[in-house]
Amino acid sequence: MGTRSRIVVIDEQKNKKIDLYCQWDGYFNYMGIKLLERLRDKELVEKFKTNLNKCYFTDGSEEISEDYYDKFISRDVMYRIIENVADCKLDKIILQELGDKEAEKWLEYCYVIDFSSNVFMCYHRANYIGENPEIVCFLDNLPTNENFLKSLEE
């Protein structure tokens, strides 16, 4: 059984660029930590931010190969979406948008990386609605893994 979650990424211009459904291991002490580890890598984050301008949501008309699907759209991509987008050499990165109404019924966790506000927000039992995150971390001052988990216990 999976621990379903969602990763949302907002670019510096306040545009939602990634809205990824993740089937497995969505809880804070796994997905939250994996995302934090990547967000601490400044070189990776800069490449990721640069390539966000290549991302757009599909209208369903594009043909997508199985390899492409496995790298950018699959429910199994999870936190690796950061590396996959950062390292992408393609001109366009086609993604699927999860959609708010559909997700709020069954998601257990949601992670929002918001470059326009310079924050990483984590939600439990909530869809990304911008209210009541469990924790808000500034991207330029991320906590250690231990402090991140400790702050969630409070």
Side-chain angles (χ1 to χ4, degrees):
M1 182 170 197
T3 306
R4 298 166 296 227
S5 63
R6 176 185 197 181
I7 299 170
V8 175
V9 180
I10 310 294
D11 70 10
E12 291 174 324
Q13 291 75 40
K14 300 183 180 182
N15 300 306
K16 181 167 47 169
K17 300 302 274 187
I18 294 174
D19 190 357
L20 181 69
Y21 168 67
C22 308
Q23 175 69 29
W24 316 109
D25 302 322
Y27 41 89
F28 295 135
N29 62 354
Y30 184 79
M31 184 75 74
I33 295 297
K34 292 291 189 182
L35 289 168
L36 267 178
E37 290 169 352
R38 279 140 185 87
L39 292 171
R40 285 190 201 107
D41 183 335
K42 296 195 183 312
E43 184 178 328
L44 176 64
V45 168
E46 283 309 309
K47 288 176 21 182
F48 179 62
K49 283 170 57 175
T50 298
N51 277 353
L52 282 176
N53 67 1
K54 297 179 180 182
C55 294
Y56 72 96
F57 295 114
T58 181
D59 61 6
S61 64
E62 298 89 350
E63 275 195 45
I64 296 174
S65 71
E66 186 175 333
D67 183 53
Y68 185 93
Y69 181 86
D70 290 345
K71 198 168 194 173
F72 295 103
I73 298 173
S74 168
R75 67 186 188 170
D76 300 331
V77 173
M78 302 182 348
Y79 55 86
R80 291 180 296 276
I81 191 68
I82 294 175
E83 287 101 339
N84 294 351
V85 168
D87 295 337
C88 185
K89 304 293 185 223
L90 300 171
D91 292 335
K92 294 180 181 177
I93 302 171
I94 303 166
L95 302 169
Q96 290 180 336
E97 187 169 18
L98 185 57
D100 292 344
K101 292 185 183 202
E102 178 184 341
E104 63 192 30
K105 298 174 190 166
W106 40 264
L107 282 175
E108 298 174 67
Y109 296 89
C110 181
Y111 300 92
V112 179
I113 302 166
D114 186 342
F115 290 112
S116 70
S117 299
N118 194 41
V119 293
F120 173 53
M121 297 176 282
C122 306
Y123 298 84
H124 182 236
R125 297 266 181 226
N127 186 29
Y128 167 57
I129 53 174
E131 296 178 9
N132 304 317
E134 298 292 321
I135 186 170
V136 177
C137 306
F138 288 98
L139 293 171
D140 54 2
N141 189 25
L142 293 168
T144 64
N145 294 353
E146 182 179 301
N147 286 343
F148 172 75
L149 294 174
K150 204 179 281 188
S151 68
L152 290 164
E153 294 170 4
E154 296 172 355

